Amino acid sequence: MTINVVLADDQELVRSGFALILNTQPDISVSAEAGDGVQAVEAVRAHQPDVALLDIHMPTMNGIEAAKVICAETSTKVVILTTFDQDEYVYEALHAGASGFLLKDVRRDDLVHAVRVVNAGESLLAPAVTRRLIDDIVRRNARPPVWNKNVEALSGREQETLILLGRGLSNPEIASELVLSEHTVKSHVSAVLTKLGLRDRIQAVIFAYESGIIQPGS
């Protein structure tokens, strides 16, 4: 099955280079290219791609804003591209619903791998890495948590699962902690994501911090 991609970058040379790399792969096809965020959103709406690669700095609408619209309206997975390796950009991208974050000097093989990984429903950042990142940002910003009533829809086991997800634990680690089978844990994780309206485990980590379920440094 071919992975369809929309590629957005205001630099035509960069855009064309990435498109050339991806189109040489037998399982990847660039359905459309865009030069700004508005065009990117329109292209995603028109083509319904599996993955959208968005430059973070684009005119009219930047990559973060475009990611918010795309993630809210579609099931397209978003990967943010940027020349800046800064925590704030990573957090903004993840908070917008992105599944990953890549620097523009990414190696050819890593770019292809990223598209395949994200399309498979995985994240480019391990939850444990995301937890450390968000913990640091929350500490520095000192923003008070806001309780989300959706948590009350979770069963006791699901709430325990959410806490462990927030701590960046993998399914085997959660199974060990709760003395459950990995199959049962997988069901609990799926229920947590569905009931809270979260796209992936990364979003669960963010949710846990912003709701006050996980405290920085805990």
Side-chain angles (χ1 to χ4, degrees), residues 122-168:
E122 301 297 329
S123 169
L124 293 180
L125 290 175
V129 173
T130 305
R131 189 235 171 142
R132 291 195 297 271
L133 167 71
I134 296 174
D135 191 295
D136 180 58
I137 292 173
V138 171
R139 281 172 185 263
R140 286 187 276 127
N141 292 344
R143 287 188 289 187
V146 178
W147 178 251
N148 191 309
K149 290 186 177 180
N150 289 337
V151 175
E152 298 167 11
L154 302 179
S155 68
R157 275 301 193 192
E158 289 166 356
Q159 290 186 26
E160 292 175 332
T161 299
L162 174 59
I163 291 171
L164 298 178
L165 281 173
R167 291 176 179 165

Side-chain angles (χ1 to χ4, degrees), residues 179-197:
V179 194
L180 298 171
S181 70
E182 287 188 37
H183 176 75
T184 300
V185 168
K186 185 176 180 179
S187 296
H188 286 329
V189 170
S190 179
V192 168
L193 298 181
T194 298
K195 290 182 179 181
L196 298 180

Side-chain angles (χ1 to χ4, degrees), residues 6-16 18 32-37 39-40 53-59 81-83 104:
V6 162
L7 179 58
D9 193 298
D10 62 334
Q11 297 181 37
E12 184 177 358
L13 186 60
V14 172
R15 195 168 69 236
S16 299
F18 280 4
E33 297 180 31
D36 61 45
Q39 292 176 7
L53 300 178
L54 308 177
D55 179 26
I56 203 167
H57 291 293
M58 294 187 290
L81 300 167
T82 184
T83 55
K104 283 189 180 181

Side-chain angles (χ1 to χ4, degrees), residues 170-182:
S170 64
N171 281 5
E173 291 170 334
I174 294 174
S176 176
E177 187 80 15
L178 298 181
V179 194
L180 298 171
S181 70
E182 287 188 37

Side-chain angles (χ1 to χ4, degrees), residues 78-154:
V78 172
V79 175
I80 295 291
L81 300 167
T82 184
T83 55
F84 300 96
D85 184 14
Q86 298 179 353
D87 288 353
E88 288 76 9
Y89 286 123
V90 178
Y91 181 75
E92 284 187 61
L94 296 177
H95 195 275
S99 299
F101 181 95
L102 291 173
L103 296 181
K104 283 189 180 181
D105 61 358
V106 62
R107 294 186 307 168
R108 176 193 183 101
D109 290 346
D110 290 338
L111 174 65
V112 173
H113 175 70
V115 170
R116 289 174 177 151
V117 166
V118 169
N119 179 66
E122 301 297 329
S123 169
L124 293 180
L125 290 175
V129 173
T130 305
R131 189 235 171 142
R132 291 195 297 271
L133 167 71
I134 296 174
D135 191 295
D136 180 58
I137 292 173
V138 171
R139 281 172 185 263
R140 286 187 276 127
N141 292 344
R143 287 188 289 187
V146 178
W147 178 251
N148 191 309
K149 290 186 177 180
N150 289 337
V151 175
E152 298 167 11
L154 302 179

Side-chain angles (χ1 to χ4, degrees), residues 1-7 18-19 21-32 47-53 75-79 111-122:
M1 183 177 293
T2 300
I3 303 171
N4 292 310
V5 177
V6 162
L7 179 58
F18 280 4
I21 291 172
L22 296 175
N23 280 327
T24 60
Q25 304 303 308
D27 59 334
I28 300 175
S29 175
V30 176
S31 304
H47 297 275
Q48 295 292 309
D50 301 297
V51 179
L53 300 178
S75 60
T76 297
K77 305 295 195 315
V78 172
V79 175
L111 174 65
V112 173
H113 175 70
V115 170
R116 289 174 177 151
V117 166
V118 169
N119 179 66
E122 301 297 329

